[in-house]
Amino acid sequence: MGLGEKVLKYHRTLTTYICALQERGFGIDEIKEPMPPPETLNMPGMADELRRPMMLLISAKKQ
């Protein structure tokens, strides 16, 4: 469950995402792994997000 709804999760390596974009002609502009706000770290499971963020944001443009 995620945010009150069922979420189908796909676990992939960072290499999988980067290589897939590059193989399709994209150049990587920026990569971010958003971190939770400090005030939420006492919530169950949130401290783990410091070591494995729940999101990966990649900015890429077709070359």
Side-chain angles (χ1 to χ4, degrees), residues 11-24 56 58:
H11 297 280
R12 308 274 190 273
T13 64
L14 182 57
T15 301
T16 301
Y17 291 114
I18 300 301
C19 288
L21 286 165
Q22 290 176 329
E23 288 168 5
R24 287 159 181 83
L56 173 67
I58 302 173

Side-chain angles (χ1 to χ4, degrees), residues 33-54:
E33 295 175 302
M35 295 295 179
E39 62 271 12
T40 65
L41 295 178
N42 62 344
M43 296 171 65
M46 288 304 281
D48 278 343
E49 300 308 321
L50 294 175
R51 116 185 130 71
R52 84 174 150 64
M54 66 173 77

Side-chain angles (χ1 to χ4, degrees), residues 1-7 54:
M1 294 268 268
L3 302 175
E5 297 294 325
K6 277 192 170 186
V7 175
M54 66 173 77

